[in-house]
Amino acid sequence: MAQSVLIVDDAAFMRMMIKDILVKNGYNVVGEAENGDVAVEKYQELNPDLVTMDITMPEKDGITALKEIKAINPDATIIMCSAMGQQAMVIDAIQAGAKDFIVKPFQADRVIEAVSKALA
């Protein structure tokens, strides 16, 4: 069975880009969320194998959502997505339990490398 992924990003265009890359590479995108609040709800509902999480979002940012998901499931596999220049936040995310991070704009090979490594 294909491994399930929840995509979290406030930009629909970014969600679509990641979804396209993942689906083409055999992953099953089971859900999408536009902010951290929805991400935590969907995580509990869908229990995906992996979450791609944007850092900067309205209502609840990715690092807060990451910590909440890790509190629900310490084994959750989460990869952070960030724009250039967010190194400090990426470090916070890794310390909070993120497995890896990918930088926007997304490069398909880097996304797949991060996802397959995180799920290995």
Side-chain angles (χ1 to χ4, degrees), residues 56-95:
T56 313
M57 295 182 290
E59 286 162 64
K60 184 179 289 172
D61 67 80
I63 294 173
T64 304
L66 162 77
K67 288 175 181 169
E68 288 183 19
I69 289 171
K70 282 291 198 178
I72 296 161
N73 176 7
D75 298 325
T77 303
I78 303 171
I79 295 176
M80 304 307 285
C81 305
S82 73
M84 293 301 274
Q86 291 184 319
Q87 276 78 4
M89 283 192 246
V90 168
I91 292 164
D92 287 350
I94 300 290
Q95 287 170 339

Side-chain angles (χ1 to χ4, degrees), residues 10-31:
D10 56 327
F13 174 71
M14 287 297 176
R15 292 196 307 269
M16 191 181 75
M17 276 178 67
I18 296 182
K19 183 176 184 173
D20 191 47
I21 293 167
L22 293 172
V23 170
K24 280 182 180 159
N25 284 275
Y27 293 94
N28 178 22
V29 175
V30 292

Side-chain angles (χ1 to χ4, degrees), residues 6-12 15 32-43 51-66 68-69:
L6 170 64
I7 299 171
V8 184
D9 198 303
D10 56 327
R15 292 196 307 269
E32 296 181 25
E34 63 280 355
N35 65 51
D37 280 331
V38 178
V40 174
E41 279 171 38
K42 292 238 176 158
Y43 182 82
V51 180
T52 65
M53 179 85 69
D54 186 22
I55 290 181
T56 313
M57 295 182 290
E59 286 162 64
K60 184 179 289 172
D61 67 80
I63 294 173
T64 304
L66 162 77
E68 288 183 19
I69 289 171

